[in-house]
Amino acid sequence: MNISKESYALIGAGPMGLATAKTLIEQGIDFQGFELHSDVGGLWDIDGPKSTMYESAHLISSKKMTEFTDFPMGDHIAEYPGHRELKTYFQDFAEQFDLKRRYHFGAEVTRVTPLGGDGEGWTVSWKDQDGDHSAEFAGVLIANGTLSEPNMPAFEGEFAGDLIHSCKYKSAQQFAGKRVLIVGAGNSGCDIAVDAIHHGIHCDISMRRGYYFVPKYVFGKPADTMGGAVKLPLWLKRRVDQTLLKWFVGDPQAYGFPKPDYALYESHPVVNSLILYHAGHGDIGIRADIKELDGNTVRFRDGEEAEYDLIVAATGYKLHYPFIDKELLNWQGDAPHLFLNCMHPERNDLFVMGMIEATGLGWQGRHDQAELVARYLRGLKDGSAAAEAIKAEKAKGFARETGGMNYLKLARMAYYVDKQSYRSALNKRTQALKREMA
């Protein structure tokens, strides 16, 4: 492995890592990729050591709104493809842009340490089947994903059955012959609950707060492809979309779901056409938050209790960068505070790629982030005035691109942005860099 002093270390070969690799190549930035698994795809490869996929997992956004613009999914791929189709999609993407040869597979990065101040380089340590290694790089781009470290809640009492996080759920056969409780009603929680309904004896779902439910199809078309032609102010968009949800979804409270204690879009909606259907048919019970566990008995905060054999905590994930000290990433609260969610305010040789969520952002929105970073590195190398302007801007201080949205103060929302505001901010700076290179 020949590594020059100008080479960057790129950690991860999931969707964000691949987008970053592609844009670095386009801008002539030398790099060496590292990937723990034996192939590309990240969490979408169910066989990967860090994958949190389960057999029934599918996209919650349509392929049109999710795909890379310059590598569209073909007509042979379903509107809401499953994880196996997506694994193949990323393998094909890597082949199309000749990315695999830039990666060292089966390599786990164990430590990333700065050699000094900004621009003085980094030592990257990793281990593979041949042992431990280290090398010096000009900089580091971290793209190891946001959905691998489980956020496991602590419960009062002891449970006599099986208690697992949803990351350990792989197949509906795990529910056979069991009374099941799903904790958490996010997108994964509702997906897994539908599996449990069909394969377990009984299934309940425990919810701390209410959610807004969005169907996958409206008028026979993917719901996320409808609208958007006319840009509406937030207050009006909320009013219009809430009216549409009442038409197509009805009132979830009628099925026993709690009413959301926040406005639409202040948290990620649940995109699932089946959970309300089954709730309306009495196939699933809606439970309050858990108060305590006692043997096989679960007591809820509303005074009710019930018996279960298996509890699945679909309680999300935490940001996890175990190979680098937290203070180096400018952590504030539940997430690193980075310019446009990717650029360190003081260092220009350290980037966190893909630490971003937004309704409808898709992989192209993440590709846009990667392109900005790659063009920024190119601009710094070439002495670009636009790159120097970005460097000065991020050093002065900044706010997250929320578009004025008051997101819930939750760990999973700590790096959430408004799609329109975020992509506009990226495009503004990317265009400035492009103009200088024209």
Side-chain angles (χ1 to χ4, degrees):
M1 186 186 299
N2 295 319
I3 300 171
S4 74
K5 291 185 178 180
E6 293 187 352
S7 183
Y8 284 75
L10 171 60
I11 304 170
M16 193 68 230
L18 295 179
T20 304
K22 172 180 173 288
T23 54
L24 289 173
I25 291 171
E26 290 170 346
Q27 298 306 314
I29 304 298
D30 188 34
F31 71 94
Q32 173 62 55
F34 296 90
E35 168 56 43
L36 175 63
H37 190 32
S38 59
D39 205 344
V40 302
L43 67 86
W44 291 102
D45 185 345
I46 197 170
D47 298 319
K50 293 288 187 179
S51 177
T52 55
M53 283 295 109
Y54 42 94
E55 286 295 346
S56 61
H58 288 71
L59 280 180
I60 62 170
S61 54
S62 67
K63 66 179 182 181
K64 179 180 178 181
M65 301 301 291
T66 311
E67 65 192 9
F68 292 116
T69 300
D70 58 0
F71 196 73
M73 297 186 198
D75 293 339
H76 64 288
I77 295 181
E79 288 286 0
Y80 291 96
H83 63 89
R84 297 193 187 281
E85 291 175 291
L86 293 170
K87 172 185 174 180
T88 300
Y89 174 75
F90 291 119
Q91 289 175 332
D92 292 345
F93 181 88
E95 291 293 339
Q96 174 69 26
F97 298 104
D98 194 21
L99 304 179
K100 288 189 178 182
R101 66 183 178 86
R102 306 301 294 266
Y103 275 92
H104 179 26
F105 292 99
E108 180 182 3
V109 173
T110 56
R111 192 68 179 162
V112 172
T113 309
L115 293 171
D118 182 37
E120 296 184 41
W122 293 75
T123 297
V124 176
S125 301
W126 70 93
K127 62 181 179 181
D128 58 22
Q129 62 179 1
D130 297 322
D132 296 322
H133 316 270
S134 65
E136 293 183 6
F137 291 84
V140 178
L141 301 111
I142 300 171
N144 66 324
T146 61
L147 301 175
S148 63
E149 183 67 13
N151 178 31
M152 190 68 180
F155 298 107
E156 293 292 330
E158 297 291 334
F159 184 60
D162 295 321
L163 172 59
I164 65 171
H165 188 271
S166 59
C167 68
K168 299 298 183 183
Y169 170 67
K170 296 298 179 182
S171 167
Q173 297 305 315
Q174 292 172 240
F175 296 131
K178 295 183 179 180
R179 299 164 294 179
V180 181
L181 177 66
I182 309 296
V183 180
N187 283 287
S188 293
C190 288
D191 274 356
I192 296 170
V194 171
D195 283 353
I197 288 165
H198 293 295
H199 292 82
I201 295 174
H202 175 73
C203 179
D204 288 343
I205 188 166
S206 170
M207 304 174 64
R208 180 173 294 179
R209 57 166 45 88
Y211 288 81
Y212 292 94
F213 294 89
V214 177
K216 285 198 166 182
Y217 289 93
V218 173
F219 297 123
K221 295 183 178 181
D224 60 357
T225 65
M226 306 294 287
V230 179
K231 303 302 181 185
L232 301 175
L234 179 58
W235 67 269
L236 182 56
K237 177 175 172 57
R238 271 186 175 146
R239 184 172 297 178
V240 170
D241 289 353
Q242 282 181 320
T243 299
L244 290 173
L245 287 181
K246 285 183 180 179
W247 288 350
F248 290 99
V249 174
D251 182 5
Q253 286 78 64
Y255 307 128
F257 289 94
K259 184 177 180 180
D261 57 357
Y262 54 92
L264 182 62
Y265 300 126
E266 289 182 352
S267 183
H268 200 294
V270 174
V271 184
N272 190 302
S273 298
L274 294 176
I275 192 71
L276 295 180
Y277 170 89
H278 284 292
H281 285 72
D283 298 331
I284 187 169
I286 312 302
R287 295 290 190 174
D289 194 18
I290 293 176
K291 180 181 180 181
E292 64 177 349
L293 310 176
D294 183 8
N296 286 99
T297 301
V298 177
R299 298 189 179 91
F300 301 97
R301 296 198 179 278
D302 61 358
E304 298 290 326
E305 62 180 49
E307 302 282 312
Y308 301 98
D309 305 298
L310 172 63
I311 298 176
V312 180
T315 46
Y317 298 87
K318 299 181 289 187
L319 295 177
H320 191 52
Y321 309 109
F323 42 76
I324 186 170
D325 291 340
K326 264 192 167 185
E327 57 266 25
L328 293 172
L329 292 178
N330 195 37
W331 275 79
Q332 294 184 19
D334 293 310
H337 183 56
L338 305 174
F339 183 65
L340 295 175
N341 283 45
C342 58
M343 295 180 169
H344 195 282
E346 298 172 357
R347 300 196 70 114
N348 299 282
D349 55 2
L350 175 63
F351 303 86
V352 179
M353 311 302 297
M355 188 200 72
I356 182 172
E357 284 294 341
T359 301
L361 186 66
W363 292 317
Q364 185 56 38
R366 291 164 172 82
H367 182 283
D368 292 347
Q369 183 195 76
E371 182 179 2
L372 174 62
V373 169
R375 287 185 178 276
Y376 177 66
L377 289 174
R378 177 83 255 174
L380 289 178
K381 187 175 181 179
D382 294 345
S384 160
E388 289 298 327
I390 294 173
K391 182 178 179 180
E393 182 182 11
K394 67 188 182 68
K396 288 191 301 184
F398 49 87
R400 189 158 39 111
E401 290 288 344
T402 62
M405 187 72 69
N406 184 30
Y407 293 119
L408 293 181
K409 306 301 182 186
L410 301 173
R412 64 183 173 85
M413 302 300 297
Y415 48 99
Y416 219 87
V417 299
D418 172 67
K419 169 189 171 181
Q420 185 174 334
S421 299
Y422 185 76
R423 293 195 71 176
S424 176
L426 290 177
N427 185 61
K428 173 184 175 182
R429 292 160 180 87
T430 298
Q431 290 304 317
L433 290 164
K434 280 184 176 181
R435 284 192 295 270
E436 283 200 339
M437 297 177 69

